[in-house]
Amino acid sequence: VAKAGLRRSLTPEAWADAALAVIARAGIDAVSVESIAAELAATKGSFYWHFKNRDALIEAALELWGRRRTEGTIEILELEPDPAKRLRMLLDAAFEHGPDDRAEITLLANPEHPAAVRAVRQQADRRIGYMAKQFAALGLSPREALDRAAVAYYVYVGYMQTAHVAPASISGAARKRQARLVAEQLLAR
Amino acid sequence: VAKAGLRRSLTPEAWADAALAVIARAGIDAVSVESIAAELAATKGSFYWHFKNRDALIEAALELWGRRRTEGTIEILELEPDPAKRLRMLLDAAFEHGPDDRAEITLLANPEHPAAVRAVRQQADRRIGYMAKQFAALGLSPREALDRAAVAYYVYVGYMQTAHVAPASISGAARKRQARLVAEQLLAR
DNA sequence: ACCTGAACACCGTTCAAGT
DNA sequence: ACCTGAACACCGTTCAAGT
């Protein structure tokens, strides 16, 4: 939000960044050209110099999200050489999200907008593909590996969404037990 | 509450029904008082006689969805006495949705609106509770039964959503294998 | 009670005009 | 090139006035 030093002209990135913050906080519907313009101390007219329309802004914001997301998680996992441990780390991480991945939750819970559908699908492919590689490294056939990766991803998405709509109904202890249950079942040979 | 026999005046149900159809077809965002009024050959002013505002209409439509959904599925399952078979039926059904449950997909994919969050949570509780009862009938402890039911529900929601954003990436054969995998794992003792 | 039609507010989008 | 300010369209909401 705070731009360093003198603000000469607004970049598209500044708009996209502000939009992503709004999406994370309140969802895609809450993205309003008018309010973001006010936040950046610019006019709506200025916005339309940088973007074709509101949808283009949303698209840019989601593209930002995807890039940051991709650069983050997988790189960290690569530090762990054992594929079984990698999978366990992923499954564990899935069951303990903090308040910092609000955008993730909001997006997974709201892929109604075409740009959101695209962004979510891209991330889904990437994550399932990565998990399948780990399962394959454990000796499963490519097909079996892909099936298990897909099911693991379903669990992840379903958990995120259920936690989103009914946060109170999932106790910390239950989360831990469920994570163990899923890991045991999917990693069983 | 329905006015017996009179068809001169619109009932709230007529508005809610039309709104639910729109939600099923195009999502909550597409619900517009103006277009629904036109569809029913009424004016926007007329709408505001029956409802406080647009949100109240959405709420009524989702309440309709929940009622119809509840009356449907579980009653059918009660015809099957074996709990293991009931669970298998549920899991199988989860992996083969038709074009008829568009509202289900749209809602599960878009619980951003407060009323949608409430409706989805209510259905989630009901479904998890029902599945837990079946697992308990198989001899699992109440806690273990609830955990497995929750995980089964995560798989269901995650599958629905992934099928929503990436319908092409899940072949019919893969769907069948994944359904079998999940059933085997969750029903294993 | 139930509905119409006009009015207003909000926000997305355009555009002529400014620097 | 980049931005302003006014204008317009669309739609949610209100309300006085009709039946």
mmCIF file of all heavy atoms in Angstrom, chain A residues 114-138:
data_model
loop_
_atom_site.group_PDB
_atom_site.id
_atom_site.type_symbol
_atom_site.label_atom_id
_atom_site.label_comp_id
_atom_site.label_asym_id
_atom_site.label_seq_id
_atom_site.Cartn_x
_atom_site.Cartn_y
_atom_site.Cartn_z
ATOM 1 N N PRO A 114 -14.310 -16.281 -14.163
ATOM 2 C CA PRO A 114 -13.489 -16.991 -15.152
ATOM 3 C C PRO A 114 -11.995 -16.923 -14.861
ATOM 4 O O PRO A 114 -11.291 -17.930 -14.977
ATOM 5 C CB PRO A 114 -13.825 -16.268 -16.453
ATOM 6 C CG PRO A 114 -15.184 -15.701 -16.250
ATOM 7 C CD PRO A 114 -15.307 -15.394 -14.787
ATOM 8 N N ALA A 115 -11.519 -15.767 -14.475
ATOM 9 C CA ALA A 115 -10.089 -15.638 -14.194
ATOM 10 C C ALA A 115 -9.708 -16.475 -12.977
ATOM 11 O O ALA A 115 -8.623 -17.063 -12.925
ATOM 12 C CB ALA A 115 -9.721 -14.176 -13.969
ATOM 13 N N ALA A 116 -10.602 -16.552 -12.004
ATOM 14 C CA ALA A 116 -10.337 -17.356 -10.814
ATOM 15 C C ALA A 116 -10.328 -18.835 -11.175
ATOM 16 O O ALA A 116 -9.490 -19.602 -10.694
ATOM 17 C CB ALA A 116 -11.378 -17.072 -9.739
ATOM 18 N N VAL A 117 -11.241 -19.233 -12.032
ATOM 19 C CA VAL A 117 -11.281 -20.625 -12.477
ATOM 20 C C VAL A 117 -9.954 -21.001 -13.107
ATOM 21 O O VAL A 117 -9.364 -22.030 -12.790
ATOM 22 C CB VAL A 117 -12.433 -20.853 -13.483
ATOM 23 C CG1 VAL A 117 -12.288 -22.200 -14.165
ATOM 24 C CG2 VAL A 117 -13.782 -20.754 -12.782
ATOM 25 N N ARG A 118 -9.477 -20.132 -13.958
ATOM 26 C CA ARG A 118 -8.215 -20.405 -14.646
ATOM 27 C C ARG A 118 -7.064 -20.498 -13.646
ATOM 28 O O ARG A 118 -6.245 -21.413 -13.699
ATOM 29 C CB ARG A 118 -7.940 -19.313 -15.671
ATOM 30 C CG ARG A 118 -7.360 -19.834 -16.964
ATOM 31 C CD ARG A 118 -7.286 -18.736 -18.017
ATOM 32 N NE ARG A 118 -8.567 -18.065 -18.160
ATOM 33 C CZ ARG A 118 -8.754 -16.749 -18.080
ATOM 34 N NH1 ARG A 118 -7.718 -15.954 -17.871
ATOM 35 N NH2 ARG A 118 -9.954 -16.231 -18.220
ATOM 36 N N ALA A 119 -7.002 -19.541 -12.741
ATOM 37 C CA ALA A 119 -5.908 -19.519 -11.765
ATOM 38 C C ALA A 119 -5.934 -20.756 -10.880
ATOM 39 O O ALA A 119 -4.899 -21.381 -10.630
ATOM 40 C CB ALA A 119 -6.004 -18.252 -10.917
ATOM 41 N N VAL A 120 -7.127 -21.126 -10.426
ATOM 42 C CA VAL A 120 -7.247 -22.283 -9.542
ATOM 43 C C VAL A 120 -6.892 -23.561 -10.292
ATOM 44 O O VAL A 120 -6.205 -24.434 -9.765
ATOM 45 C CB VAL A 120 -8.666 -22.364 -8.945
ATOM 46 C CG1 VAL A 120 -8.869 -23.681 -8.226
ATOM 47 C CG2 VAL A 120 -8.896 -21.215 -7.982
ATOM 48 N N ARG A 121 -7.353 -23.671 -11.539
ATOM 49 C CA ARG A 121 -7.053 -24.870 -12.315
ATOM 50 C C ARG A 121 -5.545 -25.027 -12.504
ATOM 51 O O ARG A 121 -4.976 -26.096 -12.371
ATOM 52 C CB ARG A 121 -7.723 -24.811 -13.679
ATOM 53 C CG ARG A 121 -7.278 -25.992 -14.566
ATOM 54 C CD ARG A 121 -8.109 -26.087 -15.812
ATOM 55 N NE ARG A 121 -8.136 -24.822 -16.525
ATOM 56 C CZ ARG A 121 -9.203 -24.305 -17.104
ATOM 57 N NH1 ARG A 121 -10.341 -24.953 -17.051
ATOM 58 N NH2 ARG A 121 -9.141 -23.156 -17.731
ATOM 59 N N GLN A 122 -4.892 -23.916 -12.813
ATOM 60 C CA GLN A 122 -3.451 -23.964 -13.036
ATOM 61 C C GLN A 122 -2.727 -24.453 -11.784
ATOM 62 O O GLN A 122 -1.848 -25.320 -11.850
ATOM 63 C CB GLN A 122 -2.975 -22.562 -13.388
ATOM 64 C CG GLN A 122 -1.806 -22.508 -14.310
ATOM 65 C CD GLN A 122 -1.575 -21.058 -14.739
ATOM 66 O OE1 GLN A 122 -2.301 -20.504 -15.560
ATOM 67 N NE2 GLN A 122 -0.582 -20.434 -14.154
ATOM 68 N N GLN A 123 -3.121 -23.900 -10.645
ATOM 69 C CA GLN A 123 -2.502 -24.321 -9.388
ATOM 70 C C GLN A 123 -2.816 -25.786 -9.094
ATOM 71 O O GLN A 123 -1.958 -26.529 -8.620
ATOM 72 C CB GLN A 123 -2.996 -23.445 -8.233
ATOM 73 C CG GLN A 123 -2.544 -22.009 -8.326
ATOM 74 C CD GLN A 123 -1.035 -21.881 -8.278
ATOM 75 O OE1 GLN A 123 -0.405 -22.451 -7.415
ATOM 76 N NE2 GLN A 123 -0.462 -21.167 -9.234
ATOM 77 N N ALA A 124 -4.044 -26.199 -9.400
ATOM 78 C CA ALA A 124 -4.438 -27.586 -9.146
ATOM 79 C C ALA A 124 -3.565 -28.537 -9.955
ATOM 80 O O ALA A 124 -3.024 -29.517 -9.425
ATOM 81 C CB ALA A 124 -5.915 -27.786 -9.496
ATOM 82 N N ASP A 125 -3.398 -28.250 -11.229
ATOM 83 C CA ASP A 125 -2.581 -29.106 -12.089
ATOM 84 C C ASP A 125 -1.168 -29.216 -11.544
ATOM 85 O O ASP A 125 -0.579 -30.291 -11.478
ATOM 86 C CB ASP A 125 -2.540 -28.534 -13.514
ATOM 87 C CG ASP A 125 -3.856 -28.757 -14.241
ATOM 88 O OD1 ASP A 125 -4.671 -29.558 -13.731
ATOM 89 O OD2 ASP A 125 -4.075 -28.126 -15.282
ATOM 90 N N ARG A 126 -0.650 -28.075 -11.159
ATOM 91 C CA ARG A 126 0.727 -28.031 -10.691
ATOM 92 C C ARG A 126 0.891 -28.837 -9.406
ATOM 93 O O ARG A 126 1.843 -29.585 -9.238
ATOM 94 C CB ARG A 126 1.104 -26.562 -10.447
ATOM 95 C CG ARG A 126 2.565 -26.315 -10.310
ATOM 96 C CD ARG A 126 2.935 -24.914 -10.773
ATOM 97 N NE ARG A 126 4.256 -24.569 -10.261
ATOM 98 C CZ ARG A 126 5.361 -25.185 -10.597
ATOM 99 N NH1 ARG A 126 5.309 -26.175 -11.455
ATOM 100 N NH2 ARG A 126 6.524 -24.826 -10.071
ATOM 101 N N ARG A 127 -0.037 -28.689 -8.494
ATOM 102 C CA ARG A 127 0.072 -29.376 -7.213
ATOM 103 C C ARG A 127 -0.142 -30.870 -7.352
ATOM 104 O O ARG A 127 0.587 -31.676 -6.769
ATOM 105 C CB ARG A 127 -0.957 -28.804 -6.240
ATOM 106 C CG ARG A 127 -0.640 -27.377 -5.862
ATOM 107 C CD ARG A 127 -1.751 -26.746 -5.082
ATOM 108 N NE ARG A 127 -1.534 -25.302 -4.992
ATOM 109 C CZ ARG A 127 -2.224 -24.497 -4.203
ATOM 110 N NH1 ARG A 127 -3.186 -24.987 -3.447
ATOM 111 N NH2 ARG A 127 -1.971 -23.213 -4.180
ATOM 112 N N ILE A 128 -1.156 -31.240 -8.121
ATOM 113 C CA ILE A 128 -1.408 -32.672 -8.322
ATOM 114 C C ILE A 128 -0.212 -33.301 -9.017
ATOM 115 O O ILE A 128 0.246 -34.381 -8.641
ATOM 116 C CB ILE A 128 -2.709 -32.883 -9.139
ATOM 117 C CG1 ILE A 128 -3.920 -32.456 -8.307
ATOM 118 C CG2 ILE A 128 -2.838 -34.338 -9.563
ATOM 119 C CD1 ILE A 128 -5.248 -32.531 -9.047
ATOM 120 N N GLY A 129 0.320 -32.599 -10.014
ATOM 121 C CA GLY A 129 1.488 -33.106 -10.728
ATOM 122 C C GLY A 129 2.674 -33.313 -9.799
ATOM 123 O O GLY A 129 3.357 -34.343 -9.859
ATOM 124 N N TYR A 130 2.871 -32.363 -8.925
ATOM 125 C CA TYR A 130 4.010 -32.460 -8.009
ATOM 126 C C TYR A 130 3.837 -33.629 -7.041
ATOM 127 O O TYR A 130 4.760 -34.416 -6.826
ATOM 128 C CB TYR A 130 4.166 -31.158 -7.219
ATOM 129 C CG TYR A 130 5.358 -31.171 -6.290
ATOM 130 C CD1 TYR A 130 6.644 -30.986 -6.791
ATOM 131 C CD2 TYR A 130 5.199 -31.395 -4.924
ATOM 132 C CE1 TYR A 130 7.739 -31.015 -5.948
ATOM 133 C CE2 TYR A 130 6.284 -31.422 -4.073
ATOM 134 C CZ TYR A 130 7.553 -31.235 -4.591
ATOM 135 O OH TYR A 130 8.644 -31.278 -3.765
ATOM 136 N N MET A 131 2.651 -33.770 -6.505
ATOM 137 C CA MET A 131 2.409 -34.877 -5.575
ATOM 138 C C MET A 131 2.520 -36.220 -6.280
ATOM 139 O O MET A 131 3.050 -37.187 -5.717
ATOM 140 C CB MET A 131 1.029 -34.732 -4.926
ATOM 141 C CG MET A 131 0.990 -33.632 -3.874
ATOM 142 S SD MET A 131 -0.476 -33.702 -2.817
ATOM 143 C CE MET A 131 -1.739 -33.115 -3.933
ATOM 144 N N ALA A 132 2.034 -36.273 -7.499
ATOM 145 C CA ALA A 132 2.119 -37.533 -8.256
ATOM 146 C C ALA A 132 3.574 -37.939 -8.423
ATOM 147 O O ALA A 132 3.914 -39.126 -8.336
ATOM 148 C CB ALA A 132 1.438 -37.366 -9.614
ATOM 149 N N LYS A 133 4.430 -36.968 -8.631
ATOM 150 C CA LYS A 133 5.854 -37.288 -8.774
ATOM 151 C C LYS A 133 6.397 -37.934 -7.508
ATOM 152 O O LYS A 133 7.201 -38.877 -7.565
ATOM 153 C CB LYS A 133 6.641 -35.997 -9.085
ATOM 154 C CG LYS A 133 7.361 -36.071 -10.410
ATOM 155 C CD LYS A 133 7.996 -34.757 -10.852
ATOM 156 C CE LYS A 133 8.826 -34.033 -9.813
ATOM 157 N NZ LYS A 133 9.280 -32.702 -10.318
ATOM 158 N N GLN A 134 5.971 -37.434 -6.370
ATOM 159 C CA GLN A 134 6.429 -38.007 -5.104
ATOM 160 C C GLN A 134 5.906 -39.438 -4.927
ATOM 161 O O GLN A 134 6.642 -40.334 -4.513
ATOM 162 C CB GLN A 134 5.977 -37.164 -3.913
ATOM 163 C CG GLN A 134 6.201 -35.675 -4.071
ATOM 164 C CD GLN A 134 7.586 -35.323 -4.563
ATOM 165 O OE1 GLN A 134 8.569 -35.854 -4.073
ATOM 166 N NE2 GLN A 134 7.652 -34.459 -5.564
ATOM 167 N N PHE A 135 4.633 -39.626 -5.257
ATOM 168 C CA PHE A 135 4.064 -40.972 -5.131
ATOM 169 C C PHE A 135 4.786 -41.943 -6.067
ATOM 170 O O PHE A 135 5.073 -43.083 -5.708
ATOM 171 C CB PHE A 135 2.562 -40.956 -5.443
ATOM 172 C CG PHE A 135 1.703 -40.534 -4.286
ATOM 173 C CD1 PHE A 135 0.913 -39.409 -4.363
ATOM 174 C CD2 PHE A 135 1.680 -41.283 -3.112
ATOM 175 C CE1 PHE A 135 0.113 -39.019 -3.284
ATOM 176 C CE2 PHE A 135 0.886 -40.905 -2.022
ATOM 177 C CZ PHE A 135 0.105 -39.767 -2.111
ATOM 178 N N ALA A 136 5.085 -41.466 -7.260
ATOM 179 C CA ALA A 136 5.789 -42.317 -8.221
ATOM 180 C C ALA A 136 7.170 -42.674 -7.686
ATOM 181 O O ALA A 136 7.644 -43.814 -7.828
ATOM 182 C CB ALA A 136 5.906 -41.606 -9.565
ATOM 183 N N ALA A 137 7.810 -41.718 -7.019
ATOM 184 C CA ALA A 137 9.136 -41.963 -6.449
ATOM 185 C C ALA A 137 9.065 -43.016 -5.344
ATOM 186 O O ALA A 137 10.068 -43.657 -5.011
ATOM 187 C CB ALA A 137 9.724 -40.662 -5.903
ATOM 188 N N LEU A 138 7.877 -43.191 -4.803
ATOM 189 C CA LEU A 138 7.704 -44.215 -3.765
ATOM 190 C C LEU A 138 7.468 -45.590 -4.374
ATOM 191 O O LEU A 138 7.297 -46.574 -3.659
ATOM 192 C CB LEU A 138 6.526 -43.862 -2.860
ATOM 193 C CG LEU A 138 6.733 -42.669 -1.934
ATOM 194 C CD1 LEU A 138 5.490 -42.419 -1.098
ATOM 195 C CD2 LEU A 138 7.938 -42.924 -1.030
#
